[in-house]
Amino acid sequence: MEIKQGTQSFFIGNEENSEAEVHFVRVGENRIILDHTHVAEHLRGQNVGQQLVKAAVEYAKKEKLQVIPLCPFAKAEFEKHPDYQELLG
């Protein structure tokens, strides 16, 4: 499964009608807010959501951004992964 980067998301499928995505909003110069995660029913249970959040985390690290995980799923992933804590904004 290929995770693609859109203008404000990481997704599977196509950007307009994705099968799974984590959406983010840029806040200022150095922060992003993860505000929504969606995984289609047929992809659930395959760690797709976790992979999408990980892609957003890797993007934030590369771009030297802090992350505000407002989405409950993303917030839970940050709580599960101590290595994500350094990015909390």
Side-chain angles (χ1 to χ4, degrees):
M1 231 171 285
E2 180 186 1
I3 294 176
K4 302 170 190 168
Q5 182 177 347
T7 54
Q8 290 186 297
S9 66
F10 289 89
F11 62 93
I12 293 171
N14 62 60
E15 193 169 11
E16 295 79 35
N17 189 22
S18 64
E19 296 180 74
E21 83 168 331
V22 61
H23 183 266
F24 63 88
V25 178
R26 222 161 159 147
V27 180
E29 295 286 320
N30 63 352
R31 289 187 182 160
I32 58 172
I33 295 173
L34 301 182
D35 63 351
H36 177 72
T37 304
H38 166 75
V39 177
E41 189 70 38
H42 71 279
L43 293 175
R44 292 186 185 170
Q46 300 177 43
N47 293 323
V48 172
Q50 290 89 339
Q51 292 173 40
L52 291 167
V53 171
K54 183 177 180 183
V57 166
E58 290 172 358
Y59 167 76
K61 283 182 182 177
K62 184 179 114 189
E63 298 294 321
K64 296 183 173 74
L65 300 171
Q66 292 181 315
V67 179
I68 302 168
L70 289 185
C71 161
F73 181 82
K75 186 173 182 176
E77 284 300 298
F78 269 74
E79 290 170 2
K80 289 178 193 173
H81 296 277
D83 54 315
Y84 291 3
Q85 300 296 310
E86 67 188 56
L87 297 175
L88 284 174

